[in-house]
Amino acid sequence: MKISDHKRAVLLENLEKILDYLDEIFLFIAPDTKILYANATYSRFMGIPRDKVVGRFLRDVEPHSRMIDVLESGRPVFQDYSYVESVDMEVVGNAFPVYNGDEMIGVMAIFRPISVYSTPISPAPLREAEGDKQDPFAQLIGESRKLRNVIRIARKVAQTDTTVLLRGETGVGKELFARAIHQASPFSDGPFVALNMASIPESLLESELFGYEPGAFTGAKSEGKAGLIESAQGGTLFLDEMGEISPMLQTKLLRVLQERTVTRVGGTRTRNVRFRLITATNRDLERLVEHGQFRPDLYYRINVIPIHLPPLQERGKDMILLAERFKEALEVKRKERKAFSRRVLEIFQTYSWPGNVRELESCVEYMMTLSEGRLMDVQHLPPAIGSATAVEREDREGMEADLPSTLNLQEAVEHVERKWIRRALAQAQSRSEAIRLLGISRKAFYSKLKKYGLS
């Protein structure tokens, strides 16, 4: 039914009142992050009069807001779980760019505090151990703001039965986070069952996940076998590398999540299952959905609470704390004490760590094994890291040395920018990795490629 011009005018006149009646916070920012509108619900939840926030710049109020990420990338986020540092509040909601033709005129967000969204389930009975129950998140080493924020979110989510999607690069510690959430949850008395979806051939993955009945296929056990979904009964099922699952298994898994029953391969009997689901991926699931490689209904089932784990490169001095912890563990095991040189610690903080925490742990073990004496110095670094840091140093020195003296400031900036982008493209295995190395948004990256004629 087509709405009349008069009704449309009345609706627009009353739009602000309508927004004030929403249970969700509604916020709109301009391309320069200036806050143009906040509804009354904002003041109710945040405890800040809206006339105190409208007109201010979001980058000053909340510099790490997901709205700013959407503004830079041009890509919306849905059911995004994040922490509002300025008011110490976890929120979940949607943010998306607003266009006038081809021009982005701002970003709109609708969100609620997580305390309103999530309803904790009854906690498991307390178990007395030696003293107080150990904090499951204590094993997650680091003091960076990004890691603390992620842990704060994970602690909150752990108290519910909500499905969690851990997102992050390879080696950031997704399984450690999953185990910590399980151990801090009402499901901690049950098993923690983990499966890497990319580590098992597809022909075997179905029977491993769903189990099979006697005689289901050649080589099957005569008594049949329960799958990992059944094995997770009363506990947590952790499925890593979710982006690698085939369309056929996506359909079967979706049915399990919708009906909370599982049917073994070769059988017809359904079995009731109850478990907490945590999934993880380093893939761009949204792009897979766009290209028809991942079911959108399954995506929305697993993407209830997405938690983005920061790469090691973005965690400041955490790599020093982690390196020391890895070293101490090896010292206890091998009954020998060693120390990192100051130069090695400097390299740890400047190296890009494409393999993240896993690469750092391997690096420390390499140095502990091959170094002689008590001091671990630059010559004891793994060859790949030593070579990479040498190339980075040569690049920096070369950029400074070959700057023509006739360049003005803008030309000098463009000269260095072009070299850094070329270097990132040469070093990275993909454009996504190059974007991460450069620390810029995807939109800015492709804009600069076009500007400098790079491919």
Side-chain angles (χ1 to χ4, degrees), residues 103 117-118 120 137 175 177 183 207 219 228 258 283-284 299 316 320 324 329 347 349 353 428:
E103 178 188 5
Y117 259 107
S118 62
F137 291 95
E175 184 167 344
F177 262 90
Q183 291 164 7
S207 60
L228 295 180
Q258 289 175 332
R283 301 283 301 276
D284 186 340
Y299 167 78
I320 303 300
E324 290 290 348
I347 289 174
Q349 290 186 265
W353 297 110

Side-chain angles (χ1 to χ4, degrees), residues 149-369:
N149 286 347
V150 168
I151 291 176
R152 185 183 291 108
I153 292 170
R155 286 184 192 279
K156 186 78 173 180
V157 173
Q159 299 305 311
T160 74
D161 62 351
T162 305
T163 299
V164 178
L165 172 60
L166 299 176
R167 311 196 69 161
E169 299 172 6
T170 299
V172 294
K174 293 188 283 290
E175 184 167 344
L176 277 177
F177 262 90
R179 288 184 181 275
I181 291 172
H182 166 72
Q183 291 164 7
S185 78
F187 296 89
S188 58
D189 283 331
F192 178 84
V193 179
L195 174 65
N196 186 312
M197 309 291 272
S199 65
I200 300 177
E202 185 179 344
S203 58
L204 299 178
L205 185 56
E206 182 181 12
S207 60
E208 283 294 312
L209 196 55
F210 300 96
Y212 58 82
E213 295 291 0
F217 52 86
T218 303
K221 291 182 178 180
S222 58
E223 66 274 19
K225 180 185 176 183
L228 295 180
I229 292 176
E230 289 181 63
S231 301
Q233 183 76 0
T236 298
L237 177 65
F238 174 57
L239 300 180
D240 198 0
E241 304 288 2
M242 272 298 291
E244 309 302 326
I245 186 172
S246 70
M248 184 271 289
L249 291 183
Q250 289 178 35
T251 302
K252 292 198 66 172
L253 181 59
L254 177 63
R255 187 176 300 115
V256 172
L257 299 181
Q258 289 175 332
E259 301 174 5
R260 289 295 169 176
T261 61
V262 64
T263 303
R264 295 181 182 180
V265 176
T268 57
R269 174 189 166 193
T270 59
R271 293 172 167 82
N272 294 326
V273 288
R274 175 183 175 270
F275 57 87
R276 167 69 165 288
L277 178 65
I278 301 177
T279 61
T281 186
N282 61 1
R283 301 283 301 276
D284 186 340
L285 291 185
E286 292 77 12
R287 189 174 295 276
L288 294 181
V289 170
E290 289 174 9
H291 293 167
Q293 297 173 305
F294 200 90
R295 291 184 61 117
D297 41 8
L298 178 59
Y299 167 78
Y300 290 115
R301 279 280 178 179
I302 66 174
N303 194 41
V304 179
I305 302 291
I307 299 181
H308 300 261
L309 306 186
L312 186 57
Q313 189 184 36
E314 296 178 6
R315 290 175 51 183
K317 295 183 178 180
D318 281 2
M319 64 271 295
I320 303 300
L321 298 175
L322 285 163
E324 290 290 348
R325 180 60 63 90
F326 295 146
K327 179 177 72 70
E328 290 167 6
L330 288 170
E331 285 175 335
V332 171
K333 183 179 179 180
R334 300 180 181 185
K335 296 180 174 56
E336 59 177 338
R337 293 187 63 81
K338 296 196 176 190
F340 297 113
S341 70
R342 180 177 299 179
R343 175 60 183 150
V344 163
L345 295 178
E346 290 174 355
I347 289 174
F348 280 172
Q349 290 186 265
T350 57
Y351 178 58
S352 60
W353 297 110
N356 290 292
V357 178
R358 191 177 300 153
E359 183 183 10
L360 175 60
E361 185 174 13
S362 297
C363 170
V364 173
E365 184 170 359
Y366 180 96
M367 298 181 75
M368 286 283 292
T369 302

Side-chain angles (χ1 to χ4, degrees), residues 123-127 189:
L126 293 175
R127 301 189 306 274
D189 283 331

